[in-house]
Amino acid sequence: KGAENPVWGPYPALPYLQGNETALEVETLEDQTRLTERATSRAVRFIRENAEDPFFLYLPYSMPHVPLGRPLRLAGKSARGPYGDVIAEIDASVGRVLTTLDRTGVADHTHVVFTSDNGPWLRYGDHAGSAGPLREGKLTIWEGGNRVPCLMRLPGRIAPGSRCDALTGTIDLLPTVAALTGAKPPDRPIDGVSLVPLLTEPDAESFRRAYLYYWGGPLLAVRRDGFKLVFPHRYTSTEGMEPGED
């Protein structure tokens, strides 16, 4: 079982678990075509089952990580090829989740965060996204590898259409959720800070002026306000290369 990769060798078949039971063996690329739909359907059911109580839902889609599992019902529908099809399905899936929050009556007191863990894996060409004007992408500490969109919704706290340019990171989500829910923060030093004041006052003074970038050990870069110091180091680059197609 599993798939053969020409670079890394054999990959084992991956069990897709629901509870402790295997619902699907992910052995081939075709098995990945329903991963987004399955995760979304389970998330929708979870919200309906827990709408009467406080809940936490973490929904990390496998897509658009390569290799792309092109959704069957959207295959060929976008103008961006397989990558566009996958993104279109995620867009529709997030819509299903938000609609479920509305229909279960919990939208007005549910904090929604939509973000990513890294920039695009540019070496995969048209199976990757775009960092726009930012330098490089995934696997680098340049802005194209680390700066990602973050959208938040919390009625009554976050004004519709507001924008915050403060320097923040996903390490801030833990103390933010703790502050919003009244939970006790960890009894140890953590690097994150609560973003709650910025939710209501996006132009408020940022809690963080500097950010440190590490990769596997050494300090590689420091950002302070609008400036970034990058120390000499080796990194994966797409400069001068022609990324692949399909």
Side-chain angles (χ1 to χ4, degrees):
K1 286 188 174 183
E4 185 71 22
N5 182 287
V7 177
W8 304 106
Y11 283 157
L14 300 175
Y16 185 94
L17 301 178
Q18 290 190 190
N20 292 320
E21 302 298 324
T22 298
L24 171 71
E25 285 279 352
V26 183
E27 300 182 42
T28 67
L29 185 59
E30 187 169 333
D31 291 335
Q32 294 195 147
T33 59
R34 291 194 59 205
L35 288 183
T36 298
E37 189 277 328
R38 279 177 173 268
T40 303
S41 294
R42 183 66 185 89
V44 166
R45 191 166 90 240
F46 175 83
I47 294 172
R48 290 171 178 166
E49 292 172 348
N50 294 276
E52 299 298 320
D53 301 296
F55 64 80
F56 174 78
L57 170 63
Y58 175 51
L59 182 56
Y61 289 118
S62 300
M63 301 295 119
H65 198 290
V66 291
L68 298 177
R70 198 169 187 175
L72 297 178
R73 66 184 184 86
L74 291 174
K77 298 290 181 63
S78 80
R80 185 64 170 74
Y83 185 86
D85 296 346
V86 166
I87 295 298
E89 184 182 38
I90 292 176
D91 182 60
S93 297
V94 172
R96 285 182 60 193
V97 172
L98 296 180
T99 297
T100 304
L101 294 177
D102 290 332
R103 291 177 176 174
T104 53
V106 301
D108 286 345
H109 50 272
T110 299
H111 186 199
V112 179
V113 180
F114 180 93
T115 189
S116 178
D117 56 347
N118 51 250
W121 210 345
L122 297 176
R123 63 169 58 194
Y124 282 93
D126 61 354
H127 281 211
S130 169
L134 303 180
R135 182 173 177 178
E136 295 290 355
K138 178 178 176 175
L139 302 181
T140 76
I141 51 80
W142 301 104
E143 291 297 275
N146 290 269
R147 192 188 301 190
V148 296
C150 180
L151 305 176
M152 293 189 182
R153 188 181 82 170
L154 184 56
R157 291 247 193 181
I158 303 177
S162 59
R163 170 173 172 160
C164 179
D165 292 319
L167 179 59
T168 62
T170 51
I171 59 173
D172 300 325
L173 291 181
L174 169 61
T176 300
V177 171
L180 285 172
T181 60
K184 182 181 178 181
D187 187 22
R188 65 191 66 186
I190 60 174
D191 294 320
V193 294
S194 171
L195 303 178
V196 170
L198 291 175
L199 301 184
T200 53
E201 297 290 340
D203 294 327
E205 184 175 351
S206 176
F207 304 100
R208 178 186 290 111
R209 295 190 61 192
Y211 203 90
L212 307 180
Y213 297 77
Y214 292 89
W215 185 297
L219 177 65
L220 300 184
V222 179
R223 179 175 163 185
R224 182 175 174 84
D225 298 331
F227 296 90
K228 189 171 184 180
L229 170 66
V230 179
F231 300 106
H233 67 282
R234 297 178 63 88
Y235 62 93
T236 301
S237 175
T238 55
E239 186 176 346
M241 69 172 287
E242 290 292 334
E245 295 183 0
D246 296 328

